[in-house]
Amino acid sequence: MRRRPLWIIDLIGGMLTLTVLGVGAYYGIVQTEAAASDVAALTGTTRRLRSELANLQIELDQTLATAAESRAQLAQRGPLPRHSPVERDLHTMTQFARANRVSIDEVRPLGTAEYPGVNEVRYVLKGSGTFEALLGFFRTFEQSPFWADVTHLRIDRRAGSIDADTSERDAEISVSFFASADPPVPPAQPTGEGPAS
């Protein structure tokens, strides 16, 4: 049996050692840099998500505050009326107009709409007054306890006015009054009894 020279064994051992050290260096240095960049990216993502979470918390707090304010207004106004007191509300609106020096020239019904649990009765009011008087009327209307909403508004310079600087304005206001809808009555159930013979 022939012996191999020791230098070949030393060479093979050295190459194996260098290979192991090279693989270790690759995973120890290159992969560590990649891992470090992954950690930096994840840190940035975490910061961004924390910022978004803080913004969402602020929005949630604002929404909860708005909901609490709405509940307080609902408690003050009371529940939606069973039947809309349209005549009384229109009379009150004309009083608001008079108090704010706005003249109501026409009140015309536009019709009704039914939604699940809610009825809407629409009216259009036409009138005139100064811009400041109209603003006062709307301010008074918005502060009133009506179950109503202004759905359309148009304010124009007074028709037929030659003077462009006139403070008189024509206004057309669409108003919706709301009431709760009566729940549907379920159909009568058959009793199971046939006709008497």
Side-chain angles (χ1 to χ4, degrees):
M1 180 173 211
R2 206 168 142 190
R3 286 179 147 214
R4 295 188 185 196
L6 285 177
W7 67 269
I8 293 177
I9 294 174
D10 286 343
L11 180 66
I12 292 172
M15 288 172 55
L16 285 174
T17 303
L18 284 175
T19 302
V20 168
L21 288 175
V23 168
Y26 173 78
Y27 283 107
I29 296 171
V30 174
Q31 291 296 335
T32 302
E33 289 176 9
S37 69
D38 288 346
V39 168
L42 289 173
T43 302
T45 301
T46 302
R47 281 191 199 116
R48 182 181 52 80
L49 290 174
R50 282 185 178 154
S51 174
E52 287 179 19
L53 180 61
N55 290 338
L56 288 172
Q57 182 65 47
I58 290 169
E59 286 181 35
L60 175 63
D61 292 343
Q62 291 171 343
T63 302
L64 291 174
T66 301
E69 183 181 318
S70 295
R71 280 192 295 276
Q73 288 177 355
L74 179 61
Q76 178 185 3
R77 286 186 172 187
L80 194 61
R82 297 287 296 153
H83 301 286
S84 182
V86 174
E87 290 81 17
R88 184 193 73 203
D89 290 347
L90 286 172
H91 178 72
T92 304
M93 287 181 71
T94 58
Q95 288 176 333
F96 289 165
R98 215 174 296 124
N100 286 286
R101 297 177 318 280
V102 172
S103 126
I104 301 292
D105 304 321
E106 179 184 347
V107 176
R108 181 174 30 98
L110 292 178
T112 61
E114 292 185 17
Y115 305 100
V118 178
N119 288 329
E120 177 184 12
V121 181
R122 300 176 187 147
Y123 279 83
V124 68
L125 289 80
K126 292 184 179 182
S128 61
T130 64
F131 193 75
E132 292 77 21
L134 290 167
L135 287 177
F137 168 75
F138 290 120
R139 203 172 296 117
T140 306
F141 176 80
E142 285 296 319
Q143 294 171 353
S144 69
F146 292 138
W147 280 102
D149 194 19
V150 173
T151 57
H152 174 77
L153 169 65
R154 187 176 78 219
I155 300 175
D156 293 319
R157 185 175 52 199
R158 182 88 185 179
S161 175
I162 302 170
D163 184 8
D165 294 332
T166 184
S167 61
E168 284 292 310
R169 303 284 186 244
D170 286 327
E172 181 176 296
I173 309 155
S174 296
V175 180
S176 291
F177 296 97
F178 299 97
S180 64
D182 294 327
V185 177
Q189 296 293 324
T191 61
E193 297 175 13
S197 7

